[in-house]
Every structure is written in structure tokens, then in C-alpha cells.
Amino acid sequence: MSSSSTTTTTTRLLMLKASDGVTFEVEEAVATKLGAINNMVEEEGSEDLICLPNVNGKFLGMVLEWCKKHANNNTNSDKGNDEVNKWWDKEFVMDLDQNTLYHLLMAADYLSGTELVDLLTEKVASMIRGKKVEEIRETFKIKSDFLPGQEEEIRKKNSWAFE
Amino acid sequence: MTSFCDLPEDMLVEILSWLPAESVLRFKRVQKSWCVLIDALVKKQLFAAMHLSNGKKKKTPSLFFKSLNAKHNKIYQGVFTIKKIRKDRRGHRRQCVIDPSCRDKCLYTLIRVGFGHDPIANVYKAVKVSKGGGGVRAEEKEEDNSLEETIHSFDMYDETFRSIVLPDKYYYQTAEALETWQAELTEWNESVALIYYPVAKWARTKPIEVWAMHDQPCESHESTQCWTKLLSIDPLGGLYKIPITFWKSDELLMREGESELVLYNLLTKKVRSLHRKQFYPGEMAWFRAFGYVESFVSLTKSNNIGKFI
């Protein structure tokens, strides 16, 4: 009898409701990988339904998938598991397109998933590292607003970085 | 369809903090707002700290190789090299540290300059060593006809040099012993490590040893209080290899013969060939490699260090 009560407290389930009404039932230990949810749980205590009006169901699902993996593997944190997590993270971000990356990043930031923000910003960085300025403009869909000559001036000041 | 241009500024800052310093500066040319942002960022201590810590976290740490030959110093542009080489006024090629936070080019010659972080005052310091040892490096000195090796450490907080005795086993009194063994000072898993390896032909069946220095460099003359032996690596596959430095936490970069670089994995005990290149005769003996991270930490501001360099 006492054992059943311990299991209910350790595997408390939370309902997360996304902006489009999609709900996710997740274990507390998984959801609290996100700083924002952790704060809500600590502050409000008993509330089991959490509404997240800024995140759409598709991306919330992906964020929770990441949390689940990292919460599970955290229980026995030896070096081998760390490697497994790294591989999983690599696969997770491998084929993400710009649109998905953008929304995931915004969701992770909003939910204060610091480690996930790190993973995603590093991914974006890896996509633009070593690219030419023109290619960056293309990737970010922005136009140069420098006056003629200004760009050349910056290039001269930092000439070693452009070699 | 949204794109990266909609990202808020703090996210863009996070992304930039993962990039090599050169890319960050190059991207000033993307747009006026980027130029203003990056100019402000490289002057901020917080961004410098974030960039430095991310650089250390990166899954693929960089190594740059340096090798010398008798005629001229040169940097061997090896498999991982991204180090800048500049020519000085006389046309000599020099290795440089480039400080991106100042407007004009500020170049410092890397030779005999050490960097460190003083955790108590929370400032970064650069130390120029004018003579003898410095930072933490091995030095040989001559005293009463006997050769002795000591290591000098530099305390980043109180700015004093201390000398540290070597592990007992290697406390040499004779020149012959020095010719038998060689020590390479390096960094491994965030502690100072000493790799001892045999050089004399008759000793080449002896194992390579790795000793780690305890966290607090001690002033004790008892070497057992300063050093712990961590590893003993038997000659690999009967072939004589010379250790160079650690690569990540569990691989040791070594050279074999006059033309090959290999990586030895400490866990699997397997050796994999990295690179083959025909070196000048004897050049390989001068081969050195360093682990390094790039940083925006300024050498000129707040520390008044710039004037000493």
C-alpha cells in the first residue's frame, strides 16, 4: 500500500496545452527539464494543467521529445550515456530546416530550456560558420544597408578576419 | 515561412557566441545593425566569457601544430590548423595573437606569453616572461655541473613564480639520465600533466608515464605531495612512438618515425593513423602541438597588461 503511494508521487503527470489546443501528458521529471515549467510547478504546486499559449503543438512535441530523452538518461549519468545523448542530439538537429529550427529555438527559449537553446544555437552557428558575408545575407534573408564604401571600410579595419 | 532574420537579438548573440572569432568579425559586413551589435559585443566581458566557455564546450576542439626546422621557424599547416601567420616588418613569419576588441590591429607574438584567469579578481591576465621559465613550463638549468629540471608555475592571483619539484623518480642528478628520458608538459582533463617518455635507444622498451600535478601547486619539497601517477603506457605494438600532447580527454597524439602522426586511444588502446607527410630531415623532432581556444578576452583593457607586452 505504501509502495503504490510512492509510485504516484514520483511519476506525477502534468498536462501541457499548446497554443493550438493540442495537449501532452508528460511526467513531471521530464517537463521540469524546462526552466519555465519547473518554476510554474514550484510556484503553483497543485496545478496539473499548464497552458502554453506561445508554443504550437508540433514544436512543443519536439521540445518534449528532447526533454524525455535527456530526463531518462540523466538518471544514470555515466560517460557512456553522455556519448549516447550526444549522438541522439546530433541526429535530432541533423535535418532540421530553417523554419523548424526557428520555431524550435523560440519555443526552447520561451520555455527556458537552456541546454536545448545551446544545442540549437550551436546548430545554427554550424550552418553559417565559414560562410561568406553574401551567403549569410541569403541565409538570413537580409539586404545590405551599407552606403557604398562603408563596407570596404569595415573590411579594411578587420582585414585579418577576411583573409 | 519564417527565417533567421526574425530571431530576437539575444538569440543572435547566442548563435554568434558559438562562432570562431574570425567569423564573428567578418559578419559585421552583413548589415548595419549587425555591425553595431558585434562592435558592442566584442567589448563586453560577458560575451567574451560566453564565447570562451562555448569554445571549450565545442565537440571538436582544435589543435594547431608547430614545427621548426633548422633554417626557419615555420608553422606546419596540418590537419587541424587554422592558426594565423603574419609577416612582421622585416618579412619574417610570426605567430600572433590578435586582439579583435581594439580598433586597429593589435598583434602580440605568442612566444613566451602566457594567459590565465584570476578567479579571485575575475580578470584575465597575460604574462610575458623575459628570461627563463614562465607560466608553467619546464626549464633546464645548470648548477654545479649537474643538470636539474624544475617546473615554474605562475600564480595568477598574487603574480608570483614558484618552482615545483618533479616526481621523485625523475629527479635527475646526471646528464646521462637527462639523455635517457624526456618530459613534455601539457594539460590533461583540466590539470597540469607531465608526460615522461624514454628517448635513449636502450630504454625504448620502457613505458610512457603520465603524471598529474595536484590542483594547488605546492611549495613542499616532497614530490609525492605534488604529483600522482595516472597512466603507464607500454610500448605500442612494439613500435617506438613519441607522445606529443593529449587530444580531447582520452586520446594521445603521438609521432612515429619521421613522417607519421598517430592518435592513441587510452580506453580502447587502439592506434589510428592521422596524417603522413614528408618532413625535412630532423624536422619531426621539433614537432610541437598545442590545444587552444579562441577568445575575445581583451589584452588591452582594464588590466593594463598591454603596455607590458
Side-chain angles (χ1 to χ4, degrees):
Chain A
M1 194 168 145
S2 61
S3 67
S4 71
S5 69
T6 15
T7 33
T8 43
T9 47
T10 47
T11 58
R12 181 186 167 198
L13 292 175
L14 294 175
M15 286 287 266
L16 304 184
K17 194 173 175 190
S19 61
D20 50 0
V22 182
T23 54
F24 295 86
E25 201 177 39
V26 282
E27 286 176 20
E28 189 182 337
V30 171
T32 49
K33 285 291 286 176
L34 303 164
I37 308 250
N38 193 34
N39 286 348
M40 284 182 215
V41 170
E42 276 177 5
E43 278 167 26
E44 290 163 31
S46 57
E47 201 61 56
D48 282 348
L49 178 73
I50 294 171
C51 291
L52 302 164
N54 286 349
V55 192
N56 146 325
K58 182 185 165 193
F59 303 110
L60 180 59
M62 290 176 83
V63 171
L64 291 172
E65 191 191 346
W66 179 88
C67 291
K68 212 170 176 177
K69 191 75 196 167
H70 285 255
N72 281 347
N73 283 350
N74 263 8
T75 47
N76 45 351
S77 55
D78 56 73
K79 210 182 168 194
N81 245 322
D82 209 40
E83 285 299 307
V84 172
N85 266 357
K86 273 185 190 167
W87 271 106
W88 193 88
D89 278 354
K90 213 174 162 184
E91 294 271 307
F92 183 70
V93 295
M94 194 181 291
D95 296 319
L96 298 180
D97 59 58
Q98 213 186 104
N99 188 49
T100 316
L101 253 177
Y102 171 85
H103 286 287
L104 260 185
L105 195 47
M106 295 309 285
D109 184 41
Y110 167 68
L111 296 166
S112 315
T114 328
E115 288 169 64
L116 184 56
V117 169
D118 271 1
L119 174 71
L120 296 168
T121 48
E122 195 190 355
K123 166 71 181 174
V124 180
S126 76
M127 289 163 72
I128 62 176
R129 171 178 302 138
K131 281 198 176 173
K132 287 182 189 146
V133 171
E134 293 73 22
E135 291 172 314
I136 299 302
R137 288 193 194 120
E138 211 172 290
T139 312
F140 280 73
K141 297 195 174 61
I142 40 186
K143 285 200 172 103
S144 168
D145 53 2
F146 288 112
L147 296 171
Q150 275 181 335
E151 207 183 314
E152 193 49 38
E153 207 176 308
I154 300 170
R155 181 205 289 271
K156 270 185 195 158
K157 272 182 192 158
N158 295 288
S159 58
W160 61 270
F162 302 110
E163 280 166 8
Chain B
M1 191 74 176
T2 43
S3 89
F4 292 153
C5 64
D6 302 311
L7 283 170
E9 192 176 285
D10 56 339
M11 285 293 110
L12 184 58
V13 172
E14 294 255 4
I15 293 165
L16 292 173
S17 74
W18 288 100
L19 290 171
E22 289 175 38
S23 297
V24 176
L25 292 173
R26 194 169 60 236
F27 294 164
K28 277 165 69 171
R29 273 169 52 217
V30 169
Q31 207 183 19
K32 271 184 193 167
S33 63
W34 283 48
C35 185
V36 174
L37 175 70
I38 292 169
D39 266 339
L41 278 179
V42 297
K43 287 178 191 142
K44 274 190 191 149
Q45 261 201 352
L46 192 68
F47 181 74
M50 192 161 124
H51 183 264
L52 186 61
S53 121
N54 285 350
K56 285 180 180 167
K57 269 190 268 178
K58 247 179 250 166
K59 285 147 203 159
T60 50
S62 311
L63 274 178
F64 79 90
F65 296 144
K66 179 192 167 202
S67 72
L68 295 162
N69 75 4
K71 281 186 188 147
H72 48 271
N73 290 3
K74 72 182 199 80
I75 295 183
Y76 159 53
Q77 302 261 353
V79 237
F80 312 103
T81 309
I82 43 165
K83 194 63 203 165
K84 271 267 170 300
I85 316 169
R86 297 207 138 267
K87 282 186 179 167
D88 66 11
R89 279 185 217 133
R90 279 183 253 151
H92 294 141
R93 288 151 86 86
R94 313 203 80 147
Q95 319 163 53
C96 291
V97 180
I98 298 159
D99 184 353
S101 60
C102 43
R103 273 184 160 263
D104 302 309
K105 285 176 272 184
C106 301
L107 304 173
Y108 306 102
T109 315
L110 196 64
I111 297 156
R112 291 194 167 180
V113 178
F115 299 94
H117 180 240
D118 168 2
I120 298 163
N122 194 24
V123 287
Y124 293 91
K125 292 176 177 176
V127 192
K128 188 187 177 188
V129 183
S130 50
K131 220 176 181 184
V136 186
R137 64 187 285 270
E139 181 195 54
E140 290 160 31
K141 62 179 178 187
E142 226 165 324
E143 233 170 50
D144 311 325
N145 297 327
S146 72
L147 283 160
E148 186 183 298
E149 277 191 313
T150 50
I151 292 173
H152 296 272
S153 78
F154 182 76
D155 189 303
M156 281 295 162
Y157 173 63
D158 61 23
E159 301 181 2
T160 51
F161 283 98
R162 292 196 181 97
S163 61
I164 297 159
V165 288
L166 294 179
D168 267 345
K169 194 175 169 184
Y170 307 101
Y171 200 68
Y172 303 122
Q173 294 301 324
T174 63
E176 285 93 317
L178 259 179
E179 280 163 17
T180 312
W181 293 88
Q182 208 147 67
E184 200 65 63
L185 200 56
T186 181
E187 185 243 338
W188 190 43
N189 290 342
E190 297 187 359
S191 54
V192 177
L194 205 54
I195 309 176
Y196 262 98
Y197 61 96
V199 279
K201 277 213 169 97
W202 62 267
R204 286 180 183 184
T205 49
K206 296 194 183 297
I208 294 164
E209 291 182 3
V210 179
W211 293 71
M213 192 166 81
H214 296 173
D215 280 350
Q216 290 296 319
C218 54
E219 284 166 82
S220 158
H221 291 291
E222 293 290 321
S223 69
T224 45
Q225 287 176 28
C226 302
W227 299 92
T228 314
K229 185 162 123 182
L230 294 181
L231 292 170
S232 175
I233 306 162
D234 287 321
L236 307 162
L239 282 167
Y240 179 62
K241 295 178 182 63
I242 291 175
I244 299 169
T245 192
F246 284 99
W247 167 253
K248 299 188 219 169
S249 63
D250 47 17
E251 289 188 301
L252 184 59
L253 182 72
M254 301 169 110
R255 64 182 169 89
E256 188 181 317
E258 285 294 316
S259 60
E260 192 167 9
L261 285 176
V262 296
L263 267 184
Y264 170 67
N265 190 306
L266 302 172
L267 302 173
T268 61
K269 304 206 187 298
K270 284 198 176 125
V271 175
R272 87 189 142 96
S273 176
L274 257 192
H275 194 71
R276 258 177 226 269
K277 183 195 176 256
Q278 204 50 55
F279 290 88
Y280 297 101
E283 185 188 13
M284 199 62 159
W286 289 98
F287 200 88
R288 296 287 182 272
F290 309 89
Y292 78 102
V293 282
E294 284 189 322
S295 170
F296 281 111
V297 172
S298 172
L299 292 179
T300 47
K301 277 184 307 170
S302 72
N303 290 331
N304 275 335
I305 291 291
K307 64 182 179 193
F308 299 118
I309 296 178

